[in-house]
Amino acid sequence: MKLEFGPEPSARGEASIFDLVNAVNVILKRFNAPKDTRDIFEDKWSVSEKLEHLMRAISERPRLRFWELFVGVTSRSEVVVTFLALLELIRLKQLMAVQGEAFGEIDICRAEPAAAPAARPRLRKAHLRSPPPAPIIHSQMESV
């Protein structure tokens, strides 16, 4: 009996969501849990701001180590927001996480452009026009 837990890793060595979650947990362990959970702190970062920050960072260097995304973060919430932004960019196929070997370093780089979609047949303008209006039919009841 063979157990299967998901698709085989691709030849490119893309890191799985489990690899990413394990890596972010290592980062989160650097921050102690808050002692007093009654205090509410305003978050300085939004996911959209972190999206821009990550795209700017990857434009400066074509490849970043996963842990480099978290250099200078000051709170657990900033780690989480950065991680959510990374996941969103991976989902949008803007970035990809690559892992050369199991349990190895995870690199973040721009996603390879997808192959161009197959050309769709073009519709002639005649097909795009709306149909002519239906003729108005008057009944005999209206004139009575």
Side-chain angles (χ1 to χ4, degrees):
M1 174 182 217
K2 181 179 176 184
L3 295 176
E4 292 186 25
F5 293 99
E8 291 290 319
S10 70
R12 291 188 309 214
E14 285 187 57
S16 72
I17 185 68
F18 301 109
D19 297 323
L20 293 170
V21 169
N22 287 333
V24 81
N25 277 331
V26 170
I27 304 290
L28 283 170
K29 286 179 183 175
R30 286 193 270 165
F31 296 92
N32 293 329
K35 292 173 181 65
D36 188 3
T37 57
R38 293 177 294 172
D39 293 337
I40 297 174
F41 298 97
E42 181 180 355
D43 288 331
K44 296 185 225 177
W45 297 95
S46 69
V47 174
S48 61
E49 289 172 330
K50 283 294 185 174
L51 285 168
E52 291 174 16
H53 175 77
L54 293 176
M55 290 306 291
R56 201 170 31 254
I58 205 71
S59 70
E60 293 170 3
R61 290 180 41 206
R63 197 172 200 92
L64 296 169
R65 296 284 187 184
F66 179 82
W67 61 268
E68 290 178 300
L69 303 178
F70 303 95
V71 170
V73 298
T74 57
S75 67
R76 293 173 66 87
S77 63
E78 188 176 356
V79 171
V80 171
V81 170
T82 302
F83 186 62
L84 290 174
L86 174 64
L87 291 177
E88 181 65 10
L89 289 169
I90 291 171
R91 184 186 72 80
L92 294 171
K93 300 193 184 325
Q94 297 294 308
L95 299 179
M96 59 189 249
V98 180
Q99 191 173 32
E101 60 187 36
F103 306 107
E105 288 277 350
I106 297 174
D107 291 332
I108 306 300
C109 57
R110 282 198 173 275
E112 297 169 4
R120 292 186 297 184
R122 298 183 99 182
L123 297 176
R124 294 186 316 207
K125 286 185 178 181
H127 292 144
L128 299 177
R129 285 190 223 134
S130 56
I136 300 173
I137 301 174
H138 296 282
S139 68
Q140 292 179 350
M141 301 278 296
E142 289 178 357
S143 59
V144 177

